Amino acid sequence: MWTNFFKLRLFCCLLAVLMVVVLVINVTQVEYLDHETVSATFIDSSGQFVSSQVTGISRNPYCGYDQQTLSSQERMEEDSLLAALHRQVPDVGPVPFVKSTDPSSSYFVILNSAAFFKVGSQLEVLVHVQDFQRKPKKYGGDYLQARIHSLKLQAGAVGRVVDYQNGFYKVFFTLLWPGKVKVSVSLVHPSEGIRVLQRLQEDKPDRVYFKSLFRSGRISETTECNVCLPGNLPLCNFTDLYTGEPWFCFKPKKLPCSSRITHFKGGYLKGLLTAAESAFFQRVSLCHPGWSAVA
């Protein structure tokens, strides 16, 4: 009986020692993983990785896309996209709202509206914009969208807009189907509003922000994520290893970067526009004499 009791105590002692050894090994691995993750995810203002021992240094806002190394093909693609997005907006200084483009007093006419068109022919529309004082504008830069459509055929097509930088625009449509077409031209943003958007793009590139959830056991933390993160806090680097697309999150206070489990959109920064600037953003169709073309 005493022999069995001694064997049982010895087995329990050995089991307890084994559990302690396993616990120590796991804690050591977790600490090592946390140290490795933190060390590989802190980035200074020069874009270089630094160790966790220097987390107190001052950092400037870090924009990952500024640090990318692009191939010649990627650079050509980037230049092509930027050229397509570029809009020639004249720098005329601050403009009051009454001198901005007024869609209700602006108008367009269909050139050669009495001509006979065939499928494949080109239809031209001349647009003239005026301000809220019904005075012709002397510069361009407005964002116009133009289309032809047929309610009967449920068909539509967009037009190519040419800005003459003097308040006149010409729109070119290709007639793709037979029958009557209606022409519509809408003012998406006046040139004055586009200048406001350009300023926001330069001053607030992070006005749309995202978040990630980090979780380990019972501990959960949510931090902000973006391509460009301001401030002096340490970052987690989630740049795509295959595409090289940069992405960063503020590092959680208690958790390693490797504990991220989900990602979602946070929202939009609000209150960035003044009341005068907000007035520029209205999408309205321009007046037209009701012409229709026959193809």
PDB file of all heavy atoms in Angstrom, residues 216-235:
ATOM      1  N   SER A 216      -5.547  38.539 -28.593  1.00  0.00           N
ATOM      2  CA  SER A 216      -4.793  37.410 -28.063  1.00  0.00           C
ATOM      3  C   SER A 216      -5.399  37.027 -26.728  1.00  0.00           C
ATOM      4  O   SER A 216      -5.330  37.801 -25.755  1.00  0.00           O
ATOM      5  CB  SER A 216      -3.309  37.770 -27.890  1.00  0.00           C
ATOM      6  OG  SER A 216      -2.586  36.665 -27.375  1.00  0.00           O
ATOM      7  N   GLY A 217      -6.007  35.848 -26.672  1.00  0.00           N
ATOM      8  CA  GLY A 217      -6.697  35.436 -25.447  1.00  0.00           C
ATOM      9  C   GLY A 217      -7.868  36.354 -25.169  1.00  0.00           C
ATOM     10  O   GLY A 217      -8.727  36.573 -26.015  1.00  0.00           O
ATOM     11  N   ARG A 218      -7.882  36.938 -23.989  1.00  0.00           N
ATOM     12  CA  ARG A 218      -8.965  37.834 -23.599  1.00  0.00           C
ATOM     13  C   ARG A 218      -8.657  39.298 -23.893  1.00  0.00           C
ATOM     14  O   ARG A 218      -9.486  40.173 -23.624  1.00  0.00           O
ATOM     15  CB  ARG A 218      -9.274  37.665 -22.106  1.00  0.00           C
ATOM     16  CG  ARG A 218      -9.778  36.270 -21.729  1.00  0.00           C
ATOM     17  CD  ARG A 218     -10.106  36.212 -20.253  1.00  0.00           C
ATOM     18  NE  ARG A 218     -10.627  34.898 -19.868  1.00  0.00           N
ATOM     19  CZ  ARG A 218     -11.009  34.581 -18.634  1.00  0.00           C
ATOM     20  NH1 ARG A 218     -10.907  35.499 -17.658  1.00  0.00           N
ATOM     21  NH2 ARG A 218     -11.467  33.369 -18.371  1.00  0.00           N
ATOM     22  N   ILE A 219      -7.483  39.577 -24.415  1.00  0.00           N
ATOM     23  CA  ILE A 219      -7.073  40.959 -24.674  1.00  0.00           C
ATOM     24  C   ILE A 219      -7.387  41.318 -26.121  1.00  0.00           C
ATOM     25  O   ILE A 219      -7.016  40.591 -27.039  1.00  0.00           O
ATOM     26  CB  ILE A 219      -5.570  41.163 -24.398  1.00  0.00           C
ATOM     27  CG1 ILE A 219      -5.252  40.784 -22.945  1.00  0.00           C
ATOM     28  CG2 ILE A 219      -5.161  42.600 -24.677  1.00  0.00           C
ATOM     29  CD1 ILE A 219      -3.784  40.886 -22.613  1.00  0.00           C
ATOM     30  N   SER A 220      -8.073  42.431 -26.338  1.00  0.00           N
ATOM     31  CA  SER A 220      -8.395  42.912 -27.675  1.00  0.00           C
ATOM     32  C   SER A 220      -8.064  44.397 -27.762  1.00  0.00           C
ATOM     33  O   SER A 220      -8.313  45.147 -26.809  1.00  0.00           O
ATOM     34  CB  SER A 220      -9.877  42.704 -28.010  1.00  0.00           C
ATOM     35  OG  SER A 220     -10.203  41.323 -28.017  1.00  0.00           O
ATOM     36  N   GLU A 221      -7.514  44.808 -28.886  1.00  0.00           N
ATOM     37  CA  GLU A 221      -7.215  46.214 -29.139  1.00  0.00           C
ATOM     38  C   GLU A 221      -7.523  46.536 -30.595  1.00  0.00           C
ATOM     39  O   GLU A 221      -7.328  45.700 -31.478  1.00  0.00           O
ATOM     40  CB  GLU A 221      -5.750  46.541 -28.839  1.00  0.00           C
ATOM     41  CG  GLU A 221      -5.360  46.418 -27.379  1.00  0.00           C
ATOM     42  CD  GLU A 221      -3.928  46.875 -27.136  1.00  0.00           C
ATOM     43  OE1 GLU A 221      -3.636  48.065 -27.372  1.00  0.00           O
ATOM     44  OE2 GLU A 221      -3.100  46.030 -26.742  1.00  0.00           O
ATOM     45  N   THR A 222      -7.991  47.751 -30.834  1.00  0.00           N
ATOM     46  CA  THR A 222      -8.270  48.231 -32.185  1.00  0.00           C
ATOM     47  C   THR A 222      -7.428  49.466 -32.449  1.00  0.00           C
ATOM     48  O   THR A 222      -7.421  50.397 -31.641  1.00  0.00           O
ATOM     49  CB  THR A 222      -9.760  48.570 -32.361  1.00  0.00           C
ATOM     50  OG1 THR A 222     -10.550  47.407 -32.085  1.00  0.00           O
ATOM     51  CG2 THR A 222     -10.048  49.043 -33.766  1.00  0.00           C
ATOM     52  N   THR A 223      -6.722  49.479 -33.583  1.00  0.00           N
ATOM     53  CA  THR A 223      -5.890  50.624 -33.931  1.00  0.00           C
ATOM     54  C   THR A 223      -6.201  51.081 -35.353  1.00  0.00           C
ATOM     55  O   THR A 223      -6.767  50.350 -36.152  1.00  0.00           O
ATOM     56  CB  THR A 223      -4.394  50.292 -33.833  1.00  0.00           C
ATOM     57  OG1 THR A 223      -4.043  49.342 -34.850  1.00  0.00           O
ATOM     58  CG2 THR A 223      -4.046  49.722 -32.465  1.00  0.00           C
ATOM     59  N   GLU A 224      -5.796  52.305 -35.649  1.00  0.00           N
ATOM     60  CA  GLU A 224      -6.027  52.889 -36.969  1.00  0.00           C
ATOM     61  C   GLU A 224      -4.980  52.404 -37.962  1.00  0.00           C
ATOM     62  O   GLU A 224      -3.822  52.189 -37.609  1.00  0.00           O
ATOM     63  CB  GLU A 224      -5.999  54.413 -36.877  1.00  0.00           C
ATOM     64  CG  GLU A 224      -6.330  55.124 -38.177  1.00  0.00           C
ATOM     65  CD  GLU A 224      -6.334  56.631 -38.034  1.00  0.00           C
ATOM     66  OE1 GLU A 224      -6.463  57.111 -36.883  1.00  0.00           O
ATOM     67  OE2 GLU A 224      -6.198  57.321 -39.062  1.00  0.00           O
ATOM     68  N   CYS A 225      -5.387  52.242 -39.223  1.00  0.00           N
ATOM     69  CA  CYS A 225      -4.500  51.764 -40.281  1.00  0.00           C
ATOM     70  C   CYS A 225      -4.654  52.641 -41.517  1.00  0.00           C
ATOM     71  O   CYS A 225      -5.725  53.191 -41.767  1.00  0.00           O
ATOM     72  CB  CYS A 225      -4.821  50.318 -40.654  1.00  0.00           C
ATOM     73  SG  CYS A 225      -4.786  49.153 -39.270  1.00  0.00           S
ATOM     74  N   ASN A 226      -3.572  52.749 -42.286  1.00  0.00           N
ATOM     75  CA  ASN A 226      -3.635  53.498 -43.532  1.00  0.00           C
ATOM     76  C   ASN A 226      -2.313  53.360 -44.271  1.00  0.00           C
ATOM     77  O   ASN A 226      -1.355  52.775 -43.748  1.00  0.00           O
ATOM     78  CB  ASN A 226      -3.935  54.975 -43.279  1.00  0.00           C
ATOM     79  CG  ASN A 226      -4.874  55.548 -44.324  1.00  0.00           C
ATOM     80  OD1 ASN A 226      -4.728  55.282 -45.512  1.00  0.00           O
ATOM     81  ND2 ASN A 226      -5.845  56.326 -43.879  1.00  0.00           N
ATOM     82  N   VAL A 227      -2.255  53.922 -45.470  1.00  0.00           N
ATOM     83  CA  VAL A 227      -0.999  53.974 -46.210  1.00  0.00           C
ATOM     84  C   VAL A 227      -0.059  54.986 -45.571  1.00  0.00           C
ATOM     85  O   VAL A 227       1.155  54.792 -45.519  1.00  0.00           O
ATOM     86  CB  VAL A 227      -1.262  54.336 -47.687  1.00  0.00           C
ATOM     87  CG1 VAL A 227       0.036  54.533 -48.446  1.00  0.00           C
ATOM     88  CG2 VAL A 227      -2.084  53.248 -48.351  1.00  0.00           C
ATOM     89  N   CYS A 228      -0.631  56.061 -45.076  1.00  0.00           N
ATOM     90  CA  CYS A 228       0.155  57.140 -44.472  1.00  0.00           C
ATOM     91  C   CYS A 228      -0.394  57.403 -43.075  1.00  0.00           C
ATOM     92  O   CYS A 228      -1.561  57.755 -42.925  1.00  0.00           O
ATOM     93  CB  CYS A 228       0.062  58.392 -45.340  1.00  0.00           C
ATOM     94  SG  CYS A 228       1.000  59.790 -44.717  1.00  0.00           S
ATOM     95  N   LEU A 229       0.435  57.229 -42.055  1.00  0.00           N
ATOM     96  CA  LEU A 229       0.014  57.424 -40.676  1.00  0.00           C
ATOM     97  C   LEU A 229       0.848  58.528 -40.030  1.00  0.00           C
ATOM     98  O   LEU A 229       2.076  58.448 -40.009  1.00  0.00           O
ATOM     99  CB  LEU A 229       0.165  56.132 -39.869  1.00  0.00           C
ATOM    100  CG  LEU A 229      -0.824  55.016 -40.205  1.00  0.00           C
ATOM    101  CD1 LEU A 229      -0.500  53.765 -39.400  1.00  0.00           C
ATOM    102  CD2 LEU A 229      -2.261  55.453 -39.911  1.00  0.00           C
ATOM    103  N   PRO A 230       0.207  59.568 -39.507  1.00  0.00           N
ATOM    104  CA  PRO A 230       0.946  60.632 -38.842  1.00  0.00           C
ATOM    105  C   PRO A 230       1.241  60.277 -37.397  1.00  0.00           C
ATOM    106  O   PRO A 230       0.702  59.320 -36.842  1.00  0.00           O
ATOM    107  CB  PRO A 230      -0.020  61.811 -38.927  1.00  0.00           C
ATOM    108  CG  PRO A 230      -1.367  61.165 -38.866  1.00  0.00           C
ATOM    109  CD  PRO A 230      -1.228  59.846 -39.585  1.00  0.00           C
ATOM    110  N   GLY A 231       2.100  61.070 -36.765  1.00  0.00           N
ATOM    111  CA  GLY A 231       2.368  60.905 -35.348  1.00  0.00           C
ATOM    112  C   GLY A 231       3.676  60.222 -35.049  1.00  0.00           C
ATOM    113  O   GLY A 231       4.449  59.882 -35.944  1.00  0.00           O
ATOM    114  N   ASN A 232       3.935  60.007 -33.749  1.00  0.00           N
ATOM    115  CA  ASN A 232       5.200  59.447 -33.283  1.00  0.00           C
ATOM    116  C   ASN A 232       5.047  58.060 -32.675  1.00  0.00           C
ATOM    117  O   ASN A 232       5.905  57.621 -31.921  1.00  0.00           O
ATOM    118  CB  ASN A 232       5.822  60.388 -32.253  1.00  0.00           C
ATOM    119  CG  ASN A 232       6.092  61.765 -32.829  1.00  0.00           C
ATOM    120  OD1 ASN A 232       6.478  61.877 -33.992  1.00  0.00           O
ATOM    121  ND2 ASN A 232       5.874  62.796 -32.035  1.00  0.00           N
ATOM    122  N   LEU A 233       3.954  57.381 -32.957  1.00  0.00           N
ATOM    123  CA  LEU A 233       3.720  56.072 -32.356  1.00  0.00           C
ATOM    124  C   LEU A 233       4.352  54.971 -33.208  1.00  0.00           C
ATOM    125  O   LEU A 233       4.502  55.119 -34.417  1.00  0.00           O
ATOM    126  CB  LEU A 233       2.217  55.822 -32.227  1.00  0.00           C
ATOM    127  CG  LEU A 233       1.449  56.794 -31.322  1.00  0.00           C
ATOM    128  CD1 LEU A 233      -0.031  56.467 -31.347  1.00  0.00           C
ATOM    129  CD2 LEU A 233       1.984  56.732 -29.898  1.00  0.00           C
ATOM    130  N   PRO A 234       4.723  53.845 -32.584  1.00  0.00           N
ATOM    131  CA  PRO A 234       5.283  52.718 -33.344  1.00  0.00           C
ATOM    132  C   PRO A 234       4.245  52.110 -34.278  1.00  0.00           C
ATOM    133  O   PRO A 234       3.042  52.152 -33.999  1.00  0.00           O
ATOM    134  CB  PRO A 234       5.715  51.729 -32.259  1.00  0.00           C
ATOM    135  CG  PRO A 234       4.897  52.091 -31.068  1.00  0.00           C
ATOM    136  CD  PRO A 234       4.701  53.571 -31.126  1.00  0.00           C
ATOM    137  N   LEU A 235       4.727  51.550 -35.364  1.00  0.00           N
ATOM    138  CA  LEU A 235       3.848  51.037 -36.409  1.00  0.00           C
ATOM    139  C   LEU A 235       4.033  49.541 -36.617  1.00  0.00           C
ATOM    140  O   LEU A 235       5.102  48.997 -36.371  1.00  0.00           O
ATOM    141  CB  LEU A 235       4.124  51.747 -37.743  1.00  0.00           C
ATOM    142  CG  LEU A 235       4.014  53.264 -37.775  1.00  0.00           C
ATOM    143  CD1 LEU A 235       4.426  53.774 -39.140  1.00  0.00           C
ATOM    144  CD2 LEU A 235       2.607  53.702 -37.437  1.00  0.00           C
TER     145      LEU A 235
END
